[in-house]
Amino acid sequence: MPDSLRAKGFAPLWAPHARVLILGTLPSVKSLQAQQYYGHPQNAFWPVMAALLGFDADLPYAQRCRALTQAGVAVWDVLAAAERPGSLDADIRRDTVQANSLHELALQLPQLRCLVFNGQGASKLFKQHVLLPADSPLARLPRLELPSTSPAYAAMKRDEKRARWSTLLSYLNETGMDDESENV
């Protein structure tokens, strides 16, 4: 397979006080080109998160990332890399999947209260490819599978996606942001 089909993900966005970890599958071609999580202009992720957390979705990328981490949200993908022509999760070649070290990240997030999957694809890939030690903090967390914010998932309107994503707010309601350092 040509090297151009190999998609590699980004480093996680996180701060030690994160209470929610949102997992996607693997960045789309547009996201990789922009070098931004959810970089496709039609992806609903940033508008949905901005509406829920009270920041402007049109802020520069670094400021949007900071708004997420300050609110207690961490973002990463289930996969570190895989071969995939295009951007569709269905086209990921399962025999080329390399999962991220989610357990290692979770060890750095002592206040983590919930694992959120951005769509069914992320949830399925997690179940199929992420092996957690029995003592992993992720093994005991509630898991929410929320509607994909991808423009490829057009069966649900943005307002309905936002309403469904609002369930993560109950996991963010605690304070505990003593350590303001971030990894963005």
Side-chain angles (χ1 to χ4, degrees), residues 23-83:
L23 294 173
T25 54
L26 191 63
S28 70
V29 170
K30 292 264 189 203
S31 294
L32 291 168
Q33 290 169 346
Q35 286 296 290
Q36 297 179 2
Y37 276 103
Y38 305 103
H40 191 292
Q42 271 69 54
N43 194 299
F45 181 81
W46 290 109
V48 165
M49 296 308 292
L52 295 177
L53 301 176
F55 65 88
D56 182 350
D58 294 323
L59 287 171
Y61 180 68
Q63 290 178 17
R64 286 180 278 149
C65 293
R66 191 170 343 281
L68 283 182
T69 59
Q70 286 177 343
V73 176
V75 177
W76 209 9
D77 287 310
V78 173
L79 302 183
E83 289 181 7

Side-chain angles (χ1 to χ4, degrees), residues 155-167:
M156 186 179 290
K157 298 207 181 298
R158 187 175 286 185
D159 287 344
E160 188 176 347
K161 288 181 184 184
R162 183 178 59 239
R164 297 274 304 278
W165 274 79
S166 70
T167 61

Side-chain angles (χ1 to χ4, degrees), residues 113-124:
R113 299 178 64 214
C114 182
L115 193 56
V116 175
F117 297 103
N118 189 345
Q120 291 179 348
S123 179
K124 287 179 185 176

Side-chain angles (χ1 to χ4, degrees), residues 101-119:
S101 302
L102 298 170
H103 169 71
E104 297 301 320
L105 177 62
L107 293 175
Q108 299 177 67
L109 305 175
Q111 296 180 45
L112 199 59
R113 299 178 64 214
C114 182
L115 193 56
V116 175
F117 297 103
N118 189 345

